Amino acid sequence: MPPDDRKPRRFPLQLDQVASPRAGGGRTPIGSTPAPRVSREVLRPQAPLHLAERDRQRYTAPQGLGLDSAHVRMRMVQRLQAEGINHAGVLQAFATVPRHLFVDTALVNQAYEDTSLPIGLGQTISKPSVVAAMIQLLCVRPGLIQSDVPGVPGSTKPLGNCLEIGTGCGYQAALLGHLARRVVSIERLRDLHHKARSNLDQLRAVVPTSPDVRLVYGDGMIGHAPSAPYDTIIAAAGGAALPQAWLDQLAPGGRLVAPTQDERGGQVLVIVDRLADGRFQHTRAGAVLFVPLKSGTT
Ligand code: SAH
């Protein structure tokens, strides 16, 4: 059993604590927002490389199952469900996108474990449980007009126009594609940007119905104004503060989920809802540790 399975569960977050706009609204300084569920233990979606390497050696390959088998993937989906991921669209996306296509050949036997894995250039693919929890938070944004009910037009695309910062290997972008009308994903490392493009091409060869994702090579700290405003914004890297561009590019009714630094120098997951009148509501959702958000491109 992976060691993380024995840790106390932190997700899903108590959505009643994060979903309803504060009475009176208003933009709340992040530092003054009470944390609804700040866990004492830091959630590490992207382990440092030496830990990812340790995990690589520790986890055993699923026995007797083809690595590209939908069966192995379904076991991951069942684990996510057991952890409280209950949004049908999110579970469906995880059941559809083959994670093993996004990791190096030498690591495919760990692809369906709940662990981060190295993807090159000092970066890692995030843990499925953290990715699922963040995407689910976006899917249940209070500003979603059409409820996610079968038969309601648009209900299968709860992420609307979605911006991802930190494409990495492209796995999360592929998941978002199943839940969004459009996904724009930005990566600052040129080689990873190209790797994600080739991974997504490979995905379309295997799963021809995979939605298209727009990949942008650039500095995600400035967002991507040409496709703004976004109904949902998700960041896979955390900086000292939320870039103003992200807030400016968030549509009314939209939600942003991103790691950011807290006043003690740690990292917390922050949820920002832009209310219908344009004001912002910030909520904290627990301690995390993502790779750093860096400016510029390489
Ligand atoms: N979502 C990714 C996780 C990648 S890790 C996946 O599924 O694999 C986070 C990524 O954020 C890294 O690739 C890192 O290069 C990128 N990143 C960090 N700062 C960035 C910035 N300012 N703009 C765009 N990408 C950035």
Side-chain angles (χ1 to χ4, degrees), residues 240-295:
L242 293 180
Q244 184 60 39
W246 299 359
L247 300 174
D248 292 343
Q249 292 173 22
L250 190 62
R255 174 172 271 196
L256 176 160
V257 177
T260 194
Q261 199 172 303
D262 67 12
E263 63 281 356
R264 290 190 298 266
Q267 229 185 40
V268 287
L269 194 65
V270 175
I271 300 160
V272 182
D273 288 307
R274 189 162 197 179
L275 309 180
D277 61 10
R279 290 177 298 168
F280 295 92
Q281 178 193 311
H282 294 241
T283 312
R284 288 185 184 188
V288 287
L289 187 57
F290 282 76
V291 296
L293 180 73
K294 295 185 176 171
S295 61

Short mmCIF file of all heavy atoms in Angstrom, two decimals, residues 240-295:
data_model
loop_
_atom_site.label_atom_id
_atom_site.label_comp_id
_atom_site.label_asym_id
_atom_site.label_seq_id
_atom_site.Cartn_x
_atom_site.Cartn_y
_atom_site.Cartn_z
N ALA A 240 4.74 33.83 -4.50
CA ALA A 240 4.63 34.60 -3.27
C ALA A 240 3.22 35.19 -3.12
O ALA A 240 2.72 35.38 -2.02
CB ALA A 240 5.68 35.71 -3.27
N ALA A 241 2.60 35.50 -4.24
CA ALA A 241 1.25 36.08 -4.22
C ALA A 241 0.55 35.69 -5.51
O ALA A 241 1.20 35.28 -6.47
CB ALA A 241 1.34 37.59 -4.11
N LEU A 242 -0.76 35.83 -5.51
CA LEU A 242 -1.49 35.53 -6.75
C LEU A 242 -1.24 36.67 -7.74
O LEU A 242 -1.46 37.84 -7.40
CB LEU A 242 -3.00 35.45 -6.48
CG LEU A 242 -3.48 34.29 -5.61
CD1 LEU A 242 -5.00 34.38 -5.45
CD2 LEU A 242 -3.09 32.95 -6.22
N PRO A 243 -0.78 36.37 -8.93
CA PRO A 243 -0.55 37.45 -9.91
C PRO A 243 -1.85 38.20 -10.20
O PRO A 243 -2.92 37.59 -10.37
CB PRO A 243 -0.06 36.70 -11.15
CG PRO A 243 0.53 35.43 -10.62
CD PRO A 243 -0.32 35.07 -9.43
N GLN A 244 -1.74 39.52 -10.25
CA GLN A 244 -2.92 40.35 -10.51
C GLN A 244 -3.58 39.98 -11.84
O GLN A 244 -4.81 40.02 -11.98
CB GLN A 244 -2.50 41.83 -10.51
CG GLN A 244 -3.65 42.82 -10.68
CD GLN A 244 -4.70 42.70 -9.56
OE1 GLN A 244 -4.36 42.51 -8.39
NE2 GLN A 244 -5.98 42.80 -9.93
N ALA A 245 -2.76 39.57 -12.82
CA ALA A 245 -3.30 39.24 -14.15
C ALA A 245 -4.34 38.11 -14.04
O ALA A 245 -5.33 38.11 -14.77
CB ALA A 245 -2.17 38.84 -15.09
N TRP A 246 -4.12 37.16 -13.15
CA TRP A 246 -5.06 36.04 -13.02
C TRP A 246 -6.41 36.57 -12.54
O TRP A 246 -7.46 36.15 -13.03
CB TRP A 246 -4.55 34.99 -12.05
CG TRP A 246 -3.26 34.34 -12.44
CD1 TRP A 246 -2.52 34.58 -13.57
CD2 TRP A 246 -2.54 33.36 -11.70
NE1 TRP A 246 -1.39 33.80 -13.57
CE2 TRP A 246 -1.38 33.05 -12.44
CE3 TRP A 246 -2.76 32.72 -10.47
CZ2 TRP A 246 -0.44 32.11 -11.99
CZ3 TRP A 246 -1.84 31.78 -10.03
CH2 TRP A 246 -0.69 31.48 -10.79
N LEU A 247 -6.35 37.47 -11.55
CA LEU A 247 -7.60 38.03 -11.02
C LEU A 247 -8.30 38.86 -12.09
O LEU A 247 -9.51 38.78 -12.28
CB LEU A 247 -7.30 38.89 -9.78
CG LEU A 247 -6.63 38.13 -8.63
CD1 LEU A 247 -6.25 39.08 -7.51
CD2 LEU A 247 -7.54 37.04 -8.09
N ASP A 248 -7.51 39.64 -12.83
CA ASP A 248 -8.09 40.48 -13.88
C ASP A 248 -8.75 39.63 -14.96
O ASP A 248 -9.74 40.04 -15.57
CB ASP A 248 -7.01 41.34 -14.55
CG ASP A 248 -6.45 42.39 -13.60
OD1 ASP A 248 -7.09 42.67 -12.57
OD2 ASP A 248 -5.35 42.92 -13.89
N GLN A 249 -8.18 38.45 -15.22
CA GLN A 249 -8.68 37.61 -16.33
C GLN A 249 -9.76 36.62 -15.89
O GLN A 249 -10.23 35.81 -16.69
CB GLN A 249 -7.50 36.88 -16.99
CG GLN A 249 -6.57 37.85 -17.71
CD GLN A 249 -5.30 37.20 -18.24
OE1 GLN A 249 -5.23 35.99 -18.44
NE2 GLN A 249 -4.28 38.02 -18.46
N LEU A 250 -10.14 36.67 -14.62
CA LEU A 250 -11.20 35.78 -14.11
C LEU A 250 -12.57 36.42 -14.36
O LEU A 250 -12.80 37.58 -14.00
CB LEU A 250 -10.98 35.54 -12.61
CG LEU A 250 -11.82 34.48 -11.92
CD1 LEU A 250 -11.55 33.09 -12.51
CD2 LEU A 250 -11.55 34.47 -10.41
N ALA A 251 -13.47 35.68 -14.99
CA ALA A 251 -14.79 36.22 -15.32
C ALA A 251 -15.65 36.31 -14.06
O ALA A 251 -15.48 35.52 -13.13
CB ALA A 251 -15.48 35.30 -16.33
N PRO A 252 -16.61 37.23 -14.02
CA PRO A 252 -17.59 37.20 -12.93
C PRO A 252 -18.27 35.83 -12.92
O PRO A 252 -18.62 35.29 -13.98
CB PRO A 252 -18.57 38.31 -13.30
CG PRO A 252 -17.75 39.25 -14.15
CD PRO A 252 -16.80 38.37 -14.92
N GLY A 253 -18.43 35.27 -11.73
CA GLY A 253 -18.97 33.90 -11.63
C GLY A 253 -17.88 32.85 -11.75
O GLY A 253 -18.14 31.66 -11.63
N GLY A 254 -16.65 33.29 -11.98
CA GLY A 254 -15.54 32.35 -12.18
C GLY A 254 -14.85 32.00 -10.88
O GLY A 254 -15.03 32.66 -9.86
N ARG A 255 -14.04 30.97 -10.94
CA ARG A 255 -13.30 30.50 -9.75
C ARG A 255 -11.85 30.20 -10.14
O ARG A 255 -11.60 29.60 -11.19
CB ARG A 255 -13.98 29.27 -9.16
CG ARG A 255 -13.18 28.63 -8.03
CD ARG A 255 -13.97 27.53 -7.33
NE ARG A 255 -14.77 28.07 -6.25
CZ ARG A 255 -15.33 27.34 -5.27
NH1 ARG A 255 -15.19 26.03 -5.27
NH2 ARG A 255 -16.03 27.91 -4.31
N LEU A 256 -10.96 30.58 -9.26
CA LEU A 256 -9.52 30.31 -9.43
C LEU A 256 -9.07 29.43 -8.27
O LEU A 256 -9.47 29.68 -7.13
CB LEU A 256 -8.80 31.66 -9.41
CG LEU A 256 -7.29 31.79 -9.48
CD1 LEU A 256 -6.95 33.22 -9.93
CD2 LEU A 256 -6.59 31.53 -8.17
N VAL A 257 -8.29 28.42 -8.55
CA VAL A 257 -7.72 27.58 -7.49
C VAL A 257 -6.21 27.54 -7.71
O VAL A 257 -5.75 27.15 -8.79
CB VAL A 257 -8.30 26.15 -7.52
CG1 VAL A 257 -7.63 25.27 -6.46
CG2 VAL A 257 -9.81 26.18 -7.28
N ALA A 258 -5.46 27.97 -6.71
CA ALA A 258 -4.00 28.07 -6.88
C ALA A 258 -3.30 27.99 -5.54
O ALA A 258 -3.82 28.45 -4.53
CB ALA A 258 -3.66 29.40 -7.55
N PRO A 259 -2.09 27.41 -5.55
CA PRO A 259 -1.27 27.49 -4.34
C PRO A 259 -0.63 28.86 -4.24
O PRO A 259 -0.29 29.46 -5.26
CB PRO A 259 -0.21 26.41 -4.57
CG PRO A 259 -0.14 26.22 -6.04
CD PRO A 259 -1.43 26.71 -6.65
N THR A 260 -0.49 29.35 -3.03
CA THR A 260 0.23 30.62 -2.85
C THR A 260 0.84 30.66 -1.46
O THR A 260 0.48 29.87 -0.59
CB THR A 260 -0.70 31.82 -3.11
OG1 THR A 260 0.08 33.00 -3.25
CG2 THR A 260 -1.71 32.01 -2.00
N GLN A 261 1.77 31.56 -1.29
CA GLN A 261 2.50 31.64 -0.03
C GLN A 261 1.62 32.24 1.06
O GLN A 261 0.86 33.18 0.79
CB GLN A 261 3.73 32.51 -0.24
CG GLN A 261 4.80 32.34 0.81
CD GLN A 261 6.05 33.10 0.41
OE1 GLN A 261 6.60 32.87 -0.66
NE2 GLN A 261 6.47 34.01 1.24
N ASP A 262 1.71 31.70 2.28
CA ASP A 262 0.98 32.34 3.38
C ASP A 262 1.94 33.24 4.16
O ASP A 262 3.11 33.36 3.82
CB ASP A 262 0.28 31.31 4.28
CG ASP A 262 1.26 30.44 5.05
OD1 ASP A 262 2.46 30.77 5.06
OD2 ASP A 262 0.82 29.44 5.63
N GLU A 263 1.40 33.89 5.20
CA GLU A 263 2.21 34.90 5.90
C GLU A 263 3.37 34.29 6.68
O GLU A 263 4.30 34.98 7.08
CB GLU A 263 1.31 35.76 6.81
CG GLU A 263 0.62 35.02 7.94
CD GLU A 263 -0.61 34.25 7.47
OE1 GLU A 263 -1.00 34.33 6.29
OE2 GLU A 263 -1.17 33.53 8.31
N ARG A 264 3.35 32.96 6.87
CA ARG A 264 4.47 32.32 7.59
C ARG A 264 5.49 31.72 6.62
O ARG A 264 6.39 31.01 7.02
CB ARG A 264 3.92 31.21 8.50
CG ARG A 264 3.13 31.76 9.69
CD ARG A 264 2.84 30.65 10.68
NE ARG A 264 2.02 29.61 10.06
CZ ARG A 264 0.69 29.56 10.12
NH1 ARG A 264 0.04 30.49 10.78
NH2 ARG A 264 0.01 28.60 9.53
N GLY A 265 5.28 31.97 5.33
CA GLY A 265 6.24 31.47 4.34
C GLY A 265 5.91 30.07 3.85
O GLY A 265 6.61 29.53 3.00
N GLY A 266 4.85 29.48 4.38
CA GLY A 266 4.39 28.17 3.88
C GLY A 266 3.52 28.38 2.65
O GLY A 266 3.36 29.50 2.16
N GLN A 267 2.95 27.29 2.16
CA GLN A 267 2.08 27.40 0.97
C GLN A 267 0.69 26.91 1.33
O GLN A 267 0.53 25.90 2.02
CB GLN A 267 2.65 26.52 -0.13
CG GLN A 267 2.78 27.21 -1.46
CD GLN A 267 3.24 26.27 -2.55
OE1 GLN A 267 2.81 25.11 -2.62
NE2 GLN A 267 4.10 26.76 -3.40
N VAL A 268 -0.31 27.64 0.88
CA VAL A 268 -1.70 27.20 1.07
C VAL A 268 -2.41 27.20 -0.27
O VAL A 268 -2.03 27.94 -1.19
CB VAL A 268 -2.50 28.13 2.03
CG1 VAL A 268 -2.08 27.93 3.46
CG2 VAL A 268 -2.40 29.57 1.61
N LEU A 269 -3.44 26.37 -0.36
CA LEU A 269 -4.27 26.39 -1.55
C LEU A 269 -5.32 27.48 -1.34
O LEU A 269 -5.97 27.53 -0.29
CB LEU A 269 -4.96 25.03 -1.72
CG LEU A 269 -5.58 24.78 -3.09
CD1 LEU A 269 -4.51 24.73 -4.16
CD2 LEU A 269 -6.35 23.47 -3.07
N VAL A 270 -5.42 28.36 -2.31
CA VAL A 270 -6.38 29.46 -2.20
C VAL A 270 -7.43 29.32 -3.28
O VAL A 270 -7.12 28.98 -4.43
CB VAL A 270 -5.66 30.83 -2.32
CG1 VAL A 270 -6.66 31.97 -2.32
CG2 VAL A 270 -4.68 31.01 -1.19
N ILE A 271 -8.67 29.57 -2.88
CA ILE A 271 -9.78 29.56 -3.83
C ILE A 271 -10.26 31.00 -3.94
O ILE A 271 -10.51 31.65 -2.92
CB ILE A 271 -10.93 28.69 -3.30
CG1 ILE A 271 -10.45 27.25 -3.10
CG2 ILE A 271 -12.13 28.73 -4.25
CD1 ILE A 271 -11.34 26.46 -2.16
N VAL A 272 -10.33 31.51 -5.14
CA VAL A 272 -10.84 32.87 -5.33
C VAL A 272 -12.09 32.80 -6.21
O VAL A 272 -12.03 32.29 -7.34
CB VAL A 272 -9.80 33.79 -6.01
CG1 VAL A 272 -10.35 35.21 -6.15
CG2 VAL A 272 -8.50 33.82 -5.22
N ASP A 273 -13.19 33.28 -5.66
CA ASP A 273 -14.42 33.36 -6.44
C ASP A 273 -14.63 34.81 -6.83
O ASP A 273 -14.52 35.72 -6.00
CB ASP A 273 -15.61 32.87 -5.62
CG ASP A 273 -15.57 31.36 -5.44
OD1 ASP A 273 -15.47 30.66 -6.46
OD2 ASP A 273 -15.61 30.89 -4.29
N ARG A 274 -14.91 35.03 -8.11
CA ARG A 274 -15.27 36.39 -8.53
C ARG A 274 -16.79 36.46 -8.55
O ARG A 274 -17.45 35.72 -9.29
CB ARG A 274 -14.69 36.71 -9.90
CG ARG A 274 -14.86 38.18 -10.24
CD ARG A 274 -13.95 38.64 -11.34
NE ARG A 274 -13.87 40.09 -11.33
CZ ARG A 274 -13.14 40.80 -12.16
NH1 ARG A 274 -12.42 40.20 -13.08
NH2 ARG A 274 -13.12 42.12 -12.08
N LEU A 275 -17.32 37.30 -7.73
CA LEU A 275 -18.76 37.39 -7.59
C LEU A 275 -19.37 38.06 -8.83
O LEU A 275 -18.66 38.68 -9.62
CB LEU A 275 -19.12 38.16 -6.31
CG LEU A 275 -18.42 37.64 -5.03
CD1 LEU A 275 -18.85 38.47 -3.83
CD2 LEU A 275 -18.72 36.17 -4.81
N ALA A 276 -20.69 37.93 -8.94
CA ALA A 276 -21.36 38.47 -10.13
C ALA A 276 -21.12 39.96 -10.28
O ALA A 276 -21.05 40.48 -11.41
CB ALA A 276 -22.86 38.17 -10.03
N ASP A 277 -20.96 40.66 -9.15
CA ASP A 277 -20.74 42.11 -9.25
C ASP A 277 -19.26 42.46 -9.45
O ASP A 277 -18.88 43.63 -9.41
CB ASP A 277 -21.29 42.81 -8.00
CG ASP A 277 -20.59 42.34 -6.72
OD1 ASP A 277 -19.57 41.63 -6.82
OD2 ASP A 277 -21.06 42.68 -5.62
N GLY A 278 -18.43 41.45 -9.65
CA GLY A 278 -17.03 41.71 -9.97
C GLY A 278 -16.10 41.64 -8.77
O GLY A 278 -14.87 41.62 -8.93
N ARG A 279 -16.66 41.66 -7.55
CA ARG A 279 -15.78 41.61 -6.37
C ARG A 279 -15.23 40.20 -6.16
O ARG A 279 -15.75 39.24 -6.72
CB ARG A 279 -16.55 42.06 -5.12
CG ARG A 279 -16.88 43.55 -5.16
CD ARG A 279 -17.70 43.96 -3.97
NE ARG A 279 -18.99 43.27 -3.95
CZ ARG A 279 -19.81 43.26 -2.91
NH1 ARG A 279 -19.47 43.89 -1.81
NH2 ARG A 279 -20.96 42.63 -2.96
N PHE A 280 -14.19 40.11 -5.36
CA PHE A 280 -13.50 38.82 -5.15
C PHE A 280 -13.73 38.31 -3.73
O PHE A 280 -13.77 39.09 -2.79
CB PHE A 280 -11.99 38.99 -5.35
CG PHE A 280 -11.62 39.35 -6.76
CD1 PHE A 280 -11.50 40.67 -7.14
CD2 PHE A 280 -11.40 38.36 -7.72
CE1 PHE A 280 -11.16 41.02 -8.45
CE2 PHE A 280 -11.06 38.69 -9.02
CZ PHE A 280 -10.95 40.02 -9.38
N GLN A 281 -13.81 37.00 -3.64
CA GLN A 281 -13.84 36.37 -2.32
C GLN A 281 -12.73 35.32 -2.25
O GLN A 281 -12.68 34.41 -3.08
CB GLN A 281 -15.17 35.70 -2.08
CG GLN A 281 -15.21 35.01 -0.73
CD GLN A 281 -16.38 34.09 -0.60
OE1 GLN A 281 -17.50 34.51 -0.89
NE2 GLN A 281 -16.13 32.87 -0.20
N HIS A 282 -11.85 35.49 -1.29
CA HIS A 282 -10.72 34.56 -1.12
C HIS A 282 -11.02 33.58 0.01
O HIS A 282 -11.49 33.99 1.06
CB HIS A 282 -9.44 35.31 -0.76
CG HIS A 282 -8.93 36.21 -1.85
ND1 HIS A 282 -7.69 36.05 -2.42
CD2 HIS A 282 -9.48 37.27 -2.46
CE1 HIS A 282 -7.50 36.98 -3.34
NE2 HIS A 282 -8.58 37.75 -3.38
N THR A 283 -10.72 32.32 -0.21
CA THR A 283 -10.87 31.31 0.84
C THR A 283 -9.65 30.42 0.82
O THR A 283 -9.13 30.09 -0.24
CB THR A 283 -12.12 30.43 0.56
OG1 THR A 283 -13.22 31.28 0.26
CG2 THR A 283 -12.44 29.55 1.75
N ARG A 284 -9.19 30.06 2.00
CA ARG A 284 -8.06 29.13 2.07
C ARG A 284 -8.56 27.71 2.21
O ARG A 284 -9.58 27.48 2.86
CB ARG A 284 -7.20 29.45 3.27
CG ARG A 284 -6.41 30.71 3.11
CD ARG A 284 -5.51 30.83 4.30
NE ARG A 284 -4.78 32.07 4.25
CZ ARG A 284 -3.81 32.36 5.08
NH1 ARG A 284 -3.47 31.50 6.02
NH2 ARG A 284 -3.18 33.50 4.99
N ALA A 285 -7.81 26.77 1.64
CA ALA A 285 -8.26 25.39 1.67
C ALA A 285 -7.15 24.42 2.03
O ALA A 285 -7.06 23.35 1.48
CB ALA A 285 -8.88 25.01 0.32
N GLY A 286 -6.30 24.80 2.94
CA GLY A 286 -5.33 23.84 3.46
C GLY A 286 -3.92 24.02 2.95
O GLY A 286 -3.68 24.64 1.91
N ALA A 287 -3.00 23.45 3.71
CA ALA A 287 -1.57 23.56 3.37
C ALA A 287 -1.21 22.63 2.22
O ALA A 287 -1.70 21.50 2.16
CB ALA A 287 -0.74 23.22 4.60
N VAL A 288 -0.39 23.12 1.33
CA VAL A 288 0.06 22.32 0.17
C VAL A 288 1.53 22.63 -0.09
O VAL A 288 2.10 23.54 0.52
CB VAL A 288 -0.76 22.66 -1.11
CG1 VAL A 288 -2.16 22.10 -1.04
CG2 VAL A 288 -0.79 24.16 -1.36
N LEU A 289 2.14 21.88 -0.98
CA LEU A 289 3.49 22.22 -1.41
C LEU A 289 3.65 21.89 -2.89
O LEU A 289 3.84 20.74 -3.27
CB LEU A 289 4.53 21.48 -0.57
CG LEU A 289 5.97 21.90 -0.85
CD1 LEU A 289 6.18 23.39 -0.64
CD2 LEU A 289 6.95 21.11 0.00
N PHE A 290 3.51 22.93 -3.69
CA PHE A 290 3.68 22.80 -5.14
C PHE A 290 5.05 23.33 -5.54
O PHE A 290 5.70 24.04 -4.77
CB PHE A 290 2.62 23.62 -5.87
CG PHE A 290 1.25 22.99 -5.92
CD1 PHE A 290 0.42 22.99 -4.81
CD2 PHE A 290 0.79 22.40 -7.08
CE1 PHE A 290 -0.83 22.42 -4.85
CE2 PHE A 290 -0.47 21.82 -7.14
CZ PHE A 290 -1.28 21.83 -6.02
N VAL A 291 5.46 23.04 -6.76
CA VAL A 291 6.72 23.59 -7.26
C VAL A 291 6.56 25.11 -7.40
O VAL A 291 5.44 25.62 -7.51
CB VAL A 291 7.11 22.97 -8.64
CG1 VAL A 291 7.39 21.49 -8.51
CG2 VAL A 291 6.06 23.24 -9.69
N PRO A 292 7.70 25.84 -7.38
CA PRO A 292 7.59 27.30 -7.43
C PRO A 292 7.07 27.84 -8.75
O PRO A 292 7.39 27.30 -9.82
CB PRO A 292 9.03 27.77 -7.18
CG PRO A 292 9.88 26.59 -7.04
CD PRO A 292 9.07 25.36 -7.24
N LEU A 293 6.27 28.88 -8.64
CA LEU A 293 5.84 29.65 -9.81
C LEU A 293 6.99 30.61 -10.12
O LEU A 293 7.36 31.42 -9.28
CB LEU A 293 4.58 30.43 -9.45
CG LEU A 293 3.97 31.31 -10.53
CD1 LEU A 293 3.29 30.45 -11.59
CD2 LEU A 293 2.95 32.28 -9.92
N LYS A 294 7.56 30.48 -11.31
CA LYS A 294 8.70 31.31 -11.66
C LYS A 294 8.34 32.24 -12.81
O LYS A 294 7.54 31.86 -13.66
CB LYS A 294 9.89 30.44 -12.06
CG LYS A 294 10.41 29.59 -10.92
CD LYS A 294 11.66 28.84 -11.33
CE LYS A 294 12.23 28.09 -10.15
NZ LYS A 294 13.31 27.18 -10.56
N SER A 295 8.97 33.39 -12.84
CA SER A 295 8.63 34.32 -13.92
C SER A 295 9.58 34.10 -15.10
O SER A 295 10.65 33.52 -14.96
CB SER A 295 8.70 35.77 -13.43
OG SER A 295 9.99 36.03 -13.00
#
